Amino acid sequence: MKSIFLLVGTLFALVHSHVSSLVNSPRSATAPSGCRKLITDDDWPTPETWRAAIPGVVPSNGTDGIGRPIPNYRIRAQSVEDVQAAVRFASANNIRLTVITTGHDQIGRSDAASGLIIDLSLLDKVQVLDSFYPTTEGVPSPNFTYLEPNVITPIEGVTAAVTFGPAVVGLALNYAVSPSGLFTVSGGAAGVAVSGGWGQNGGYGPLTAQYGLGVDQWLEAKIVTPDGQLLIANNVSNTDLFWAIRGGGGGTFGVVIQSTWKAHRAVPITGYNWYLNSTITGSNVSNTETGEGPVSHAMAYLLGQLPRLQDEGISGTIYANPSNVRGFMIHPGNQAGIKKANQIWGPILTKMQSFENMTPFQTRPFEFANYREFFEETYGIFEPEIGPDTPPYNRGIMPYDSRLLAAEHVQSPNITYALRGCHNNYGVMFQAPGQSQGDGRDTSANPGWRKAVANYQQQNWWESFWGENYQRLSEIKNKYDPNMTFWETPGINAHYMQAIDGRACLVLPAPEVPSLQPPLSDRSYLADLAVDGPFLYGNLELIGKHYPAPASRNLISLITNVEIYANELWKLLGARPDRAGVNAWWLKNIVRFSALQGLSQEEREQTFLTGAIQISGTKF
C-alpha cells in the first residue's frame, strides 16, 4: 500500500500547486493569444448577450462551496437546439466549453474552471425498436420514458435496438427494454450514463466479455459537432466520426445527443461467489521483493485459468488480499445454472485450496431470470440522484487507472513478481470480450481489449488508452475540432492545450508528439471518497461481498452414522424423508463443508446449505 499512498501524495502536491495558480490568477484586459476568455476580461460577453444567444442559460457564482472556480454559466439542455446554440456561442466567443451528464467521470473530464457547461441530464427519453437499418436521415427522436417504455415483440433472427437520450443510465435503460424480453450491457454502477464516457471510451461491465464492450453496442449516434451542426453517424453516414466516437472518448468530437444501441435477448444468469482464506494473517505477510504472499500461489494458478474461462463465456471479478481471496463469477446463457458452475469451479477451487496454508473453499451461488434481476439484486436498484432540482457536478479525480492483461501475461510464471508492486492487494476483472465480437477494427478502442483477458489497477497514458488507433483519432479530431473547442484530458490531442493562470490555452505551435503525461486541466481536484465513493463506484456485490469466518483446516472426525447427517440435512432443507437414503459419498462431501471447527450454528447451517448446493447442483 505504501506505493499507492506515494502516488496519491504526489498527485495531491501537483493538484494543490495547480489550484493555487487558479485562485491567484491575474486579471487581464483581453485573453492572451490562443487562450479562452475569462469573466475578468473586458470583452467577456454581457449577461444579456448570454441570455439572447442561449435561452435558459443560468449564471453561477463562479465558485463551488469551498471557493474553487467552476464554469460561469450552465445550460440544462432540453433539446438539440439548446445544445447547438451553446456550442455555437462558445465557439464564436472563445469560451471554455465543458459537457456533463451524470458526473461519474473519475479523471475530471466533465469539469472546468470557467466558461460554459452543457448539462445533458434532462435528455432522458427512450424508444425500443424491433430492428435497425442505418440511413443518412437517422432514427427519429424517442418519445417514451424508461418507467413507461414502449414494448415490442422481438423478431426471430433480427437484432433489436433501443434509441435513447444521453441522460439514460445503464440500469434505467434496462428498465426500458426488459418488458420486451431484452437487455443492454452496462457498467457495474447503476447510475452511469452509458452513451457518455462509458460507452465512448470503452465500457466494460458484468456481461461485456460475452456481449461486447460499450463501444461494440453502437448502431448510430446523433452528434452536435464543434461548428454547431447536427450530424448522423452510422455505417452509411459520417463513418469516420462513427468510428471515432466508439472508443475515442466522450465529449471529444462533439456532443452525442442521441444514441441507438443493440438490445440483446434476455438470458438467465448465475452469480457464483467463492471464498478462500489463508491461515497466515497479519501485517507484513507479503514479500515486497518477490511479490509472494499467503495466497499468491493460489492466485497464480487461478490467473492461469482465466483464458480458458473467458473462452467458455464466463466473466467475473476477483478481489485478492494478502490473506484471502474472493471471487464473484458470472455465468450467463448456456453457462447458467448452479450445477454447471459447480462443475467448472469445483476442480479450480479444489486445486487452489491444496496450496500450503489455504483453508477449504466456500461458495454461495445465486440464480437470476434476466439481467435486470441480476443487476438489482447484485448491485442494487437505480435511485436517481440527479433531477430537475439537483444538477450534476463532477466529483473530482481518482488517482488510479488500469492495465490490460493478455493470456501470455496471466499465464506467465512471472505473474506474481510482475504484480509485486500491488503488495497482494489488487482486483482483477476478467470482463474483456477477447475475440467474441471480432477483432474490433470497426471501433477505435484500444485493440488490446481484443487480446486482453483481464485488467488490474495501474498507471498509463495515451498509448495505453488507444494504442495503434491514436494517430487516426488525432487526425479525425483535427478534422472536426481544429480549434480544440472540446478539451478532454486525458483525451485525443489533449497535449494541444494547457492551463495557464486559470485559462485553457492552445499550445503554440502544436506539439508533434503527445507529452509523456497528460496535461492537467484548468480544474483538477482529488475526489473525496468518503463522500462520493458510493456515487462514483456503485456497490460491490451485495450478495456476497463479505467473507465468511475463516475456516480451520482441521476437520471434525466424520460421523460414522451418516444417517444422522442425512436426517439433519433433510430437516434443514425441508426435503422429503424418503430422500435420506442418499449415497454415502455425497454425504461425506457435504460433511466436508458442514463439519468445520469453530462455526456457529447459524454459520454451520449456511455452510451446510452451501455444501449441498455445491455438490448436488440443485437450487433449494
Side-chain angles (χ1 to χ4, degrees):
M1 293 296 292
K2 185 181 295 184
S3 64
I4 296 178
F5 288 130
L6 287 174
L7 171 61
V8 175
T10 300
L11 182 57
F12 180 79
L14 289 172
V15 171
H16 179 74
S17 173
H18 189 59
V19 170
S20 298
S21 70
L22 297 183
V23 174
N24 300 313
S25 58
R27 291 173 174 256
S28 174
T30 58
S33 177
C35 292
R36 305 291 182 243
K37 293 178 183 177
L38 295 181
I39 196 171
T40 54
D41 294 334
D42 292 343
D43 55 352
W44 179 262
T46 66
E48 294 76 17
T49 303
W50 280 91
R51 291 194 294 268
I54 314 172
V57 73
V58 177
S60 75
N61 62 9
T63 64
D64 60 15
I66 55 178
R68 300 177 304 197
I70 61 173
N72 308 97
Y73 283 86
R74 176 185 291 252
I75 175 64
R76 302 203 75 186
Q78 300 188 52
S79 67
V80 176
E81 291 75 19
D82 287 346
V83 176
Q84 288 180 294
V87 172
R88 287 169 179 159
F89 182 81
S91 181
N93 289 276
N94 195 27
I95 301 293
R96 174 81 158 102
L97 184 62
T98 321
V99 182
I100 193 170
T101 306
T102 64
H104 278 88
D105 187 277
Q106 297 163 13
I107 46 181
R109 290 174 295 191
S110 57
D111 215 350
S114 67
L116 171 65
I117 187 167
I118 301 176
D119 178 347
L120 304 176
S121 62
L122 301 179
L123 298 173
D124 59 357
K125 292 296 189 288
V126 61
Q127 188 147 353
V128 187
L129 310 174
D130 59 14
S131 61
F132 169 83
Y133 300 96
T135 66
T136 56
E137 293 78 22
V139 176
S141 299
N143 297 310
F144 298 89
T145 68
Y146 72 86
L147 293 175
E148 296 181 346
N150 67 309
V151 179
I152 60 104
T153 299
I155 302 171
E156 190 65 34
V158 177
T159 300
V162 58
T163 297
F164 56 99
V168 181
V169 301
L171 189 50
L173 191 59
N174 276 282
Y175 289 165
V177 301
S178 61
S180 298
L182 302 167
F183 79 93
T184 61
V185 301
S186 69
V192 173
V194 290
S195 67
W198 189 84
Q200 293 182 56
N201 281 294
Y204 59 84
L207 291 185
T208 51
Q210 298 86 356
Y211 293 90
L213 300 168
V215 296
D216 295 316
Q217 310 308 312
W218 291 88
L219 297 171
E220 181 178 283
K222 289 185 178 180
I223 308 171
V224 176
T225 49
D227 57 3
Q229 291 190 69
L230 177 64
L231 299 185
I232 309 299
N234 55 35
N235 281 333
V236 299
S237 179
N238 298 300
T239 55
D240 59 344
L241 191 58
F242 188 47
W243 179 83
I245 66 162
R246 290 179 292 162
T252 299
F253 303 93
V255 184
V256 174
I257 54 86
Q258 180 177 305
S259 309
T260 300
W261 277 28
K262 300 173 185 176
H264 307 278
R265 295 290 184 98
V267 296
I269 300 172
T270 297
Y272 196 82
N273 297 280
W274 54 256
Y275 316 82
L276 287 104
N277 292 288
S278 170
T279 58
I280 300 176
T281 61
S283 58
N284 300 319
V285 294
S286 298
N287 187 317
T288 57
E289 294 184 2
T290 66
E292 291 189 1
V295 302
S296 58
H297 293 294
M299 275 301 300
Y301 169 78
L302 173 61
L303 292 174
Q305 303 303 305
L306 297 189
R308 175 176 65 85
L309 294 169
Q310 181 190 50
D311 290 342
E312 294 181 6
I314 298 165
S315 58
T317 305
I318 303 162
Y319 303 91
N321 296 290
S323 297
N324 51 54
V325 58
R326 173 173 76 88
F328 177 67
M329 305 301 129
I330 301 169
H331 293 238
N334 294 333
Q335 290 293 352
I338 295 173
K339 183 177 181 179
K340 286 185 178 179
N342 287 334
Q343 291 171 343
I344 289 172
W345 286 102
I348 295 174
L349 296 173
T350 298
K351 176 64 176 179
M352 290 177 68
Q353 75 176 18
S354 72
F355 290 100
E356 187 177 5
N357 299 313
M358 297 298 293
T359 63
F361 67 86
Q362 300 176 64
T363 63
R364 191 180 182 193
F366 295 83
E367 289 192 310
F368 309 99
N370 51 51
Y371 185 70
R372 174 178 176 172
E373 180 182 304
F374 158 81
F375 198 103
E376 287 191 317
E377 295 193 31
T378 303
Y379 303 108
I381 63 173
F382 172 51
E383 298 177 310
E385 297 186 47
I386 298 167
D389 300 322
T390 52
Y393 62 95
N394 190 278
R395 308 302 175 103
I397 296 172
M398 283 303 304
Y400 84 98
D401 217 316
S402 58
R403 176 75 61 182
L404 298 175
L405 301 176
E408 59 265 27
H409 299 138
V410 295
Q411 292 179 328
S412 169
N414 297 319
I415 185 64
T416 299
Y417 180 75
L419 297 175
R420 66 193 182 281
C422 299
H423 300 280
N424 289 299
N425 280 288
Y426 57 92
V428 177
M429 294 185 290
F430 59 108
Q431 299 170 348
Q435 297 291 314
S436 67
Q437 308 299 309
D439 60 12
R441 292 182 182 179
D442 58 340
T443 75
S444 55
N446 190 331
W449 277 109
R450 314 302 166 173
K451 301 176 183 178
V453 173
N455 61 302
Y456 79 101
Q457 293 181 3
Q458 192 62 277
Q459 283 190 302
N460 58 33
W461 165 219
W462 61 275
E463 188 169 11
S464 295
F465 276 115
W466 295 284
E468 63 191 47
N469 288 332
Y470 184 83
Q471 183 58 43
R472 183 182 173 194
L473 284 166
S474 176
E475 293 169 359
I476 296 173
K477 174 72 170 173
N478 286 331
K479 172 183 174 181
Y480 287 96
D481 191 13
N483 197 42
M484 294 294 294
T485 299
F486 295 100
W487 179 34
E488 305 286 345
T489 181
I492 305 301
N493 292 350
H495 59 294
Y496 284 15
M497 299 287 289
Q498 59 186 328
I500 302 177
D501 294 328
R503 298 179 187 270
C505 299
L506 288 167
V507 177
L508 300 173
E512 295 183 1
V513 296
S515 54
L516 293 177
Q517 296 292 331
L520 284 175
S521 76
D522 49 337
R523 180 177 159 89
S524 300
Y525 305 104
L526 292 177
D528 185 346
L529 268 186
V531 176
D532 297 317
F535 174 85
L536 289 172
Y537 293 106
N539 297 304
L540 293 179
E541 297 80 23
L542 301 175
I543 57 175
K545 64 181 180 181
H546 298 295
Y547 284 88
S552 170
R553 183 171 265 286
N554 298 317
L555 299 181
I556 301 173
S557 299
L558 294 178
I559 304 300
T560 54
N561 185 356
V562 295
E563 286 300 319
I564 296 176
Y565 270 85
N567 291 333
E568 184 177 350
L569 174 65
W570 305 135
K571 180 180 179 181
L572 179 63
L573 299 180
R576 299 190 306 273
D578 61 348
R579 291 187 61 189
V582 71
N583 292 337
W585 71 266
W586 192 81
L587 281 174
K588 289 178 181 178
N589 277 285
I590 295 176
V591 171
R592 174 173 168 271
F593 291 92
S594 62
L596 298 173
Q597 279 188 344
L599 294 186
S600 67
Q601 178 64 22
E602 180 182 355
E603 292 169 330
R604 187 168 179 270
E605 289 180 358
Q606 178 58 54
T607 313
F608 221 113
L609 279 169
T610 302
I613 295 171
Q614 170 87 24
I615 302 300
S616 69
T618 305
K619 181 182 180 184
F620 294 98

